[in-house]
PDB file of all heavy atoms in Angstrom:
ATOM      1  N   SER Z   1       0.814  -1.208   0.000  1.00 55.00           N
ATOM      2  CA  SER Z   1       0.000   0.000   0.000  1.00 55.00           C
ATOM      3  C   SER Z   1       0.855   1.268   0.000  1.00 55.00           C
ATOM      4  O   SER Z   1       0.326   2.359   0.046  1.00 55.00           O
ATOM      5  CB  SER Z   1      -0.934  -0.004   1.215  1.00 55.00           C
ATOM      6  OG  SER Z   1      -0.182   0.056   2.400  1.00 55.00           O
ATOM      7  N   HIS Z   2       2.172   1.119  -0.057  1.00 57.00           N
ATOM      8  CA  HIS Z   2       3.076   2.265  -0.045  1.00 57.00           C
ATOM      9  C   HIS Z   2       2.979   3.030  -1.367  1.00 57.00           C
ATOM     10  O   HIS Z   2       3.009   2.453  -2.441  1.00 57.00           O
ATOM     11  CB  HIS Z   2       4.511   1.785   0.177  1.00 57.00           C
ATOM     12  CG  HIS Z   2       5.519   2.886   0.075  1.00 57.00           C
ATOM     13  ND1 HIS Z   2       5.659   3.827   1.062  1.00 57.00           N
ATOM     14  CD2 HIS Z   2       6.396   3.206  -0.893  1.00 57.00           C
ATOM     15  CE1 HIS Z   2       6.598   4.682   0.696  1.00 57.00           C
ATOM     16  NE2 HIS Z   2       7.060   4.323  -0.474  1.00 57.00           N
ATOM     17  N   VAL Z   3       2.862   4.319  -1.266  1.00 58.00           N
ATOM     18  CA  VAL Z   3       2.841   5.186  -2.433  1.00 58.00           C
ATOM     19  C   VAL Z   3       4.044   6.109  -2.321  1.00 58.00           C
ATOM     20  O   VAL Z   3       4.235   6.752  -1.282  1.00 58.00           O
ATOM     21  CB  VAL Z   3       1.539   6.024  -2.481  1.00 58.00           C
ATOM     22  CG1 VAL Z   3       1.535   6.974  -3.662  1.00 58.00           C
ATOM     23  CG2 VAL Z   3       0.324   5.116  -2.509  1.00 58.00           C
ATOM     24  N   PRO Z   4       4.883   6.166  -3.346  1.00 64.00           N
ATOM     25  CA  PRO Z   4       6.048   7.062  -3.278  1.00 64.00           C
ATOM     26  C   PRO Z   4       5.625   8.504  -3.020  1.00 64.00           C
ATOM     27  O   PRO Z   4       4.576   8.955  -3.491  1.00 64.00           O
ATOM     28  CB  PRO Z   4       6.690   6.924  -4.660  1.00 64.00           C
ATOM     29  CG  PRO Z   4       6.191   5.628  -5.194  1.00 64.00           C
ATOM     30  CD  PRO Z   4       4.833   5.430  -4.591  1.00 64.00           C
ATOM     31  N   LEU Z   5       6.448   9.213  -2.290  1.00 60.00           N
ATOM     32  CA  LEU Z   5       6.153  10.582  -1.911  1.00 60.00           C
ATOM     33  C   LEU Z   5       5.877  11.465  -3.128  1.00 60.00           C
ATOM     34  O   LEU Z   5       5.003  12.318  -3.102  1.00 60.00           O
ATOM     35  CB  LEU Z   5       7.328  11.154  -1.097  1.00 60.00           C
ATOM     36  CG  LEU Z   5       7.156  12.546  -0.529  1.00 60.00           C
ATOM     37  CD1 LEU Z   5       5.966  12.593   0.421  1.00 60.00           C
ATOM     38  CD2 LEU Z   5       8.411  12.976   0.194  1.00 60.00           C
ATOM     39  N   GLU Z   6       6.621  11.206  -4.201  1.00 61.00           N
ATOM     40  CA  GLU Z   6       6.446  12.017  -5.406  1.00 61.00           C
ATOM     41  C   GLU Z   6       5.051  11.879  -6.007  1.00 61.00           C
ATOM     42  O   GLU Z   6       4.566  12.764  -6.692  1.00 61.00           O
ATOM     43  CB  GLU Z   6       7.468  11.624  -6.495  1.00 61.00           C
ATOM     44  CG  GLU Z   6       8.921  11.749  -6.093  1.00 61.00           C
ATOM     45  CD  GLU Z   6       9.395  10.545  -5.277  1.00 61.00           C
ATOM     46  OE1 GLU Z   6       9.034   9.401  -5.593  1.00 61.00           O
ATOM     47  OE2 GLU Z   6      10.118  10.769  -4.307  1.00 61.00           O
ATOM     48  N   GLU Z   7       4.382  10.749  -5.738  1.00 60.00           N
ATOM     49  CA  GLU Z   7       3.068  10.515  -6.321  1.00 60.00           C
ATOM     50  C   GLU Z   7       1.918  10.989  -5.441  1.00 60.00           C
ATOM     51  O   GLU Z   7       0.767  10.951  -5.849  1.00 60.00           O
ATOM     52  CB  GLU Z   7       2.894   9.023  -6.610  1.00 60.00           C
ATOM     53  CG  GLU Z   7       3.852   8.516  -7.675  1.00 60.00           C
ATOM     54  CD  GLU Z   7       3.718   7.020  -7.899  1.00 60.00           C
ATOM     55  OE1 GLU Z   7       2.711   6.423  -7.475  1.00 60.00           O
ATOM     56  OE2 GLU Z   7       4.634   6.440  -8.507  1.00 60.00           O
ATOM     57  N   LEU Z   8       2.214  11.416  -4.220  1.00 59.00           N
ATOM     58  CA  LEU Z   8       1.152  11.867  -3.333  1.00 59.00           C
ATOM     59  C   LEU Z   8       0.654  13.240  -3.756  1.00 59.00           C
ATOM     60  O   LEU Z   8       1.443  14.118  -4.102  1.00 59.00           O
ATOM     61  CB  LEU Z   8       1.664  11.957  -1.894  1.00 59.00           C
ATOM     62  CG  LEU Z   8       1.874  10.652  -1.161  1.00 59.00           C
ATOM     63  CD1 LEU Z   8       2.495  10.921   0.202  1.00 59.00           C
ATOM     64  CD2 LEU Z   8       0.565   9.918  -0.985  1.00 59.00           C
ATOM     65  N   PRO Z   9      -0.655  13.397  -3.716  1.00 58.00           N
ATOM     66  CA  PRO Z   9      -1.176  14.735  -4.017  1.00 58.00           C
ATOM     67  C   PRO Z   9      -0.921  15.648  -2.817  1.00 58.00           C
ATOM     68  O   PRO Z   9      -1.388  15.385  -1.718  1.00 58.00           O
ATOM     69  CB  PRO Z   9      -2.678  14.499  -4.212  1.00 58.00           C
ATOM     70  CG  PRO Z   9      -2.969  13.246  -3.466  1.00 58.00           C
ATOM     71  CD  PRO Z   9      -1.708  12.442  -3.477  1.00 58.00           C
ATOM     72  N   ILE Z  10      -0.135  16.658  -3.017  1.00 57.00           N
ATOM     73  CA  ILE Z  10       0.226  17.565  -1.932  1.00 57.00           C
ATOM     74  C   ILE Z  10      -0.402  18.925  -2.219  1.00 57.00           C
ATOM     75  O   ILE Z  10      -0.308  19.444  -3.336  1.00 57.00           O
ATOM     76  CB  ILE Z  10       1.761  17.700  -1.806  1.00 57.00           C
ATOM     77  CG1 ILE Z  10       2.351  16.328  -1.488  1.00 57.00           C
ATOM     78  CG2 ILE Z  10       2.130  18.727  -0.752  1.00 57.00           C
ATOM     79  CD1 ILE Z  10       3.849  16.289  -1.453  1.00 57.00           C
ATOM     80  N   ALA Z  11      -1.036  19.447  -1.205  1.00 57.00           N
ATOM     81  CA  ALA Z  11      -1.654  20.764  -1.363  1.00 57.00           C
ATOM     82  C   ALA Z  11      -0.569  21.786  -1.655  1.00 57.00           C
ATOM     83  O   ALA Z  11       0.509  21.765  -1.062  1.00 57.00           O
ATOM     84  CB  ALA Z  11      -2.404  21.136  -0.091  1.00 57.00           C
ATOM     85  N   GLN Z  12      -0.844  22.664  -2.548  1.00 53.00           N
ATOM     86  CA  GLN Z  12       0.136  23.650  -2.986  1.00 53.00           C
ATOM     87  C   GLN Z  12      -0.038  24.978  -2.264  1.00 53.00           C
ATOM     88  O   GLN Z  12       0.159  26.031  -2.851  1.00 53.00           O
ATOM     89  CB  GLN Z  12       0.015  23.851  -4.513  1.00 53.00           C
ATOM     90  CG  GLN Z  12       0.329  22.623  -5.325  1.00 53.00           C
ATOM     91  CD  GLN Z  12       1.755  22.153  -5.124  1.00 53.00           C
ATOM     92  OE1 GLN Z  12       2.675  22.940  -5.023  1.00 53.00           O
ATOM     93  NE2 GLN Z  12       1.924  20.843  -5.041  1.00 53.00           N
ATOM     94  N   ASP Z  13      -0.421  24.898  -1.014  1.00 61.00           N
ATOM     95  CA  ASP Z  13      -0.581  26.127  -0.246  1.00 61.00           C
ATOM     96  C   ASP Z  13       0.798  26.672   0.097  1.00 61.00           C
ATOM     97  O   ASP Z  13       1.478  26.155   0.975  1.00 61.00           O
ATOM     98  CB  ASP Z  13      -1.373  25.875   1.046  1.00 61.00           C
ATOM     99  CG  ASP Z  13      -2.802  25.479   0.774  1.00 61.00           C
ATOM    100  OD1 ASP Z  13      -3.303  25.825  -0.301  1.00 61.00           O
ATOM    101  OD2 ASP Z  13      -3.414  24.833   1.646  1.00 61.00           O
ATOM    102  N   GLU Z  14       1.222  27.680  -0.598  1.00 73.00           N
ATOM    103  CA  GLU Z  14       2.495  28.345  -0.328  1.00 73.00           C
ATOM    104  C   GLU Z  14       2.340  29.179   0.930  1.00 73.00           C
ATOM    105  O   GLU Z  14       1.303  29.778   1.171  1.00 73.00           O
ATOM    106  CB  GLU Z  14       2.854  29.297  -1.476  1.00 73.00           C
ATOM    107  CG  GLU Z  14       3.639  28.733  -2.623  1.00 73.00           C
ATOM    108  CD  GLU Z  14       5.025  28.243  -2.256  1.00 73.00           C
ATOM    109  OE1 GLU Z  14       5.784  28.961  -1.574  1.00 73.00           O
ATOM    110  OE2 GLU Z  14       5.336  27.135  -2.677  1.00 73.00           O
ATOM    111  N   LEU Z  15       3.390  29.195   1.705  1.00 72.00           N
ATOM    112  CA  LEU Z  15       3.383  30.071   2.867  1.00 72.00           C
ATOM    113  C   LEU Z  15       3.653  31.501   2.416  1.00 72.00           C
ATOM    114  O   LEU Z  15       4.464  31.739   1.520  1.00 72.00           O
ATOM    115  CB  LEU Z  15       4.466  29.644   3.860  1.00 72.00           C
ATOM    116  CG  LEU Z  15       4.291  28.297   4.545  1.00 72.00           C
ATOM    117  CD1 LEU Z  15       5.500  28.006   5.419  1.00 72.00           C
ATOM    118  CD2 LEU Z  15       3.031  28.270   5.378  1.00 72.00           C
ATOM    119  N   SER Z  16       2.973  32.391   3.049  1.00 79.00           N
ATOM    120  CA  SER Z  16       3.216  33.806   2.733  1.00 79.00           C
ATOM    121  C   SER Z  16       4.584  34.188   3.298  1.00 79.00           C
ATOM    122  O   SER Z  16       5.161  33.472   4.123  1.00 79.00           O
ATOM    123  CB  SER Z  16       2.122  34.679   3.342  1.00 79.00           C
ATOM    124  OG  SER Z  16       2.247  34.696   4.744  1.00 79.00           O
ATOM    125  N   GLN Z  17       5.087  35.307   2.882  1.00 81.00           N
ATOM    126  CA  GLN Z  17       6.373  35.805   3.362  1.00 81.00           C
ATOM    127  C   GLN Z  17       6.349  35.960   4.877  1.00 81.00           C
ATOM    128  O   GLN Z  17       7.300  35.581   5.561  1.00 81.00           O
ATOM    129  CB  GLN Z  17       6.713  37.143   2.677  1.00 81.00           C
ATOM    130  CG  GLN Z  17       8.052  37.728   3.053  1.00 81.00           C
ATOM    131  CD  GLN Z  17       9.220  36.878   2.544  1.00 81.00           C
ATOM    132  OE1 GLN Z  17       9.096  36.144   1.574  1.00 81.00           O
ATOM    133  NE2 GLN Z  17      10.347  36.991   3.215  1.00 81.00           N
ATOM    134  N   ASP Z  18       5.264  36.515   5.408  1.00 81.00           N
ATOM    135  CA  ASP Z  18       5.137  36.695   6.855  1.00 81.00           C
ATOM    136  C   ASP Z  18       5.139  35.351   7.581  1.00 81.00           C
ATOM    137  O   ASP Z  18       5.781  35.200   8.624  1.00 81.00           O
ATOM    138  CB  ASP Z  18       3.853  37.455   7.200  1.00 81.00           C
ATOM    139  CG  ASP Z  18       3.910  38.915   6.773  1.00 81.00           C
ATOM    140  OD1 ASP Z  18       5.032  39.442   6.617  1.00 81.00           O
ATOM    141  OD2 ASP Z  18       2.840  39.520   6.602  1.00 81.00           O
ATOM    142  N   GLU Z  19       4.409  34.367   7.045  1.00 81.00           N
ATOM    143  CA  GLU Z  19       4.353  33.044   7.668  1.00 81.00           C
ATOM    144  C   GLU Z  19       5.726  32.368   7.648  1.00 81.00           C
ATOM    145  O   GLU Z  19       6.122  31.731   8.621  1.00 81.00           O
ATOM    146  CB  GLU Z  19       3.320  32.153   6.953  1.00 81.00           C
ATOM    147  CG  GLU Z  19       1.890  32.590   7.191  1.00 81.00           C
ATOM    148  CD  GLU Z  19       0.902  31.847   6.314  1.00 81.00           C
ATOM    149  OE1 GLU Z  19       1.250  31.519   5.154  1.00 81.00           O
ATOM    150  OE2 GLU Z  19      -0.208  31.586   6.790  1.00 81.00           O
ATOM    151  N   ARG Z  20       6.448  32.545   6.546  1.00 82.00           N
ATOM    152  CA  ARG Z  20       7.798  31.972   6.477  1.00 82.00           C
ATOM    153  C   ARG Z  20       8.727  32.612   7.498  1.00 82.00           C
ATOM    154  O   ARG Z  20       9.540  31.948   8.124  1.00 82.00           O
ATOM    155  CB  ARG Z  20       8.375  32.133   5.063  1.00 82.00           C
ATOM    156  CG  ARG Z  20       7.900  31.070   4.110  1.00 82.00           C
ATOM    157  CD  ARG Z  20       8.737  31.098   2.869  1.00 82.00           C
ATOM    158  NE  ARG Z  20       8.542  32.343   2.149  1.00 82.00           N
ATOM    159  CZ  ARG Z  20       7.990  32.453   0.958  1.00 82.00           C
ATOM    160  NH1 ARG Z  20       7.616  31.394   0.311  1.00 82.00           N
ATOM    161  NH2 ARG Z  20       7.841  33.623   0.394  1.00 82.00           N
ATOM    162  N   LEU Z  21       8.619  33.918   7.682  1.00 84.00           N
ATOM    163  CA  LEU Z  21       9.441  34.612   8.672  1.00 84.00           C
ATOM    164  C   LEU Z  21       9.114  34.149  10.093  1.00 84.00           C
ATOM    165  O   LEU Z  21      10.009  33.925  10.903  1.00 84.00           O
ATOM    166  CB  LEU Z  21       9.263  36.128   8.551  1.00 84.00           C
ATOM    167  CG  LEU Z  21       9.903  36.775   7.322  1.00 84.00           C
ATOM    168  CD1 LEU Z  21       9.512  38.242   7.222  1.00 84.00           C
ATOM    169  CD2 LEU Z  21      11.420  36.627   7.376  1.00 84.00           C
ATOM    170  N   VAL Z  22       7.820  33.973  10.380  1.00 81.00           N
ATOM    171  CA  VAL Z  22       7.411  33.506  11.703  1.00 81.00           C
ATOM    172  C   VAL Z  22       7.928  32.094  11.932  1.00 81.00           C
ATOM    173  O   VAL Z  22       8.445  31.776  13.008  1.00 81.00           O
ATOM    174  CB  VAL Z  22       5.869  33.567  11.850  1.00 81.00           C
ATOM    175  CG1 VAL Z  22       5.398  32.823  13.087  1.00 81.00           C
ATOM    176  CG2 VAL Z  22       5.402  35.014  11.884  1.00 81.00           C
ATOM    177  N   LEU Z  23       7.821  31.245  10.919  1.00 81.00           N
ATOM    178  CA  LEU Z  23       8.308  29.870  11.027  1.00 81.00           C
ATOM    179  C   LEU Z  23       9.822  29.850  11.238  1.00 81.00           C
ATOM    180  O   LEU Z  23      10.334  29.113  12.088  1.00 81.00           O
ATOM    181  CB  LEU Z  23       7.932  29.075   9.770  1.00 81.00           C
ATOM    182  CG  LEU Z  23       8.287  27.598   9.758  1.00 81.00           C
ATOM    183  CD1 LEU Z  23       7.608  26.854  10.903  1.00 81.00           C
ATOM    184  CD2 LEU Z  23       7.893  26.974   8.430  1.00 81.00           C
ATOM    185  N   GLN Z  24      10.548  30.660  10.489  1.00 85.00           N
ATOM    186  CA  GLN Z  24      12.002  30.743  10.637  1.00 85.00           C
ATOM    187  C   GLN Z  24      12.378  31.246  12.028  1.00 85.00           C
ATOM    188  O   GLN Z  24      13.285  30.719  12.668  1.00 85.00           O
ATOM    189  CB  GLN Z  24      12.593  31.662   9.559  1.00 85.00           C
ATOM    190  CG  GLN Z  24      14.097  31.780   9.621  1.00 85.00           C
ATOM    191  CD  GLN Z  24      14.799  30.445   9.406  1.00 85.00           C
ATOM    192  OE1 GLN Z  24      14.329  29.589   8.664  1.00 85.00           O
ATOM    193  NE2 GLN Z  24      15.921  30.273  10.074  1.00 85.00           N
TER     194      GLN Z  24
END
């Protein structure tokens, strides 16, 4: 039942600049 990571549908929600700064 393993599906390679490359084949998984991943949401393309990009982090905003502010969210990236907070995460960093």
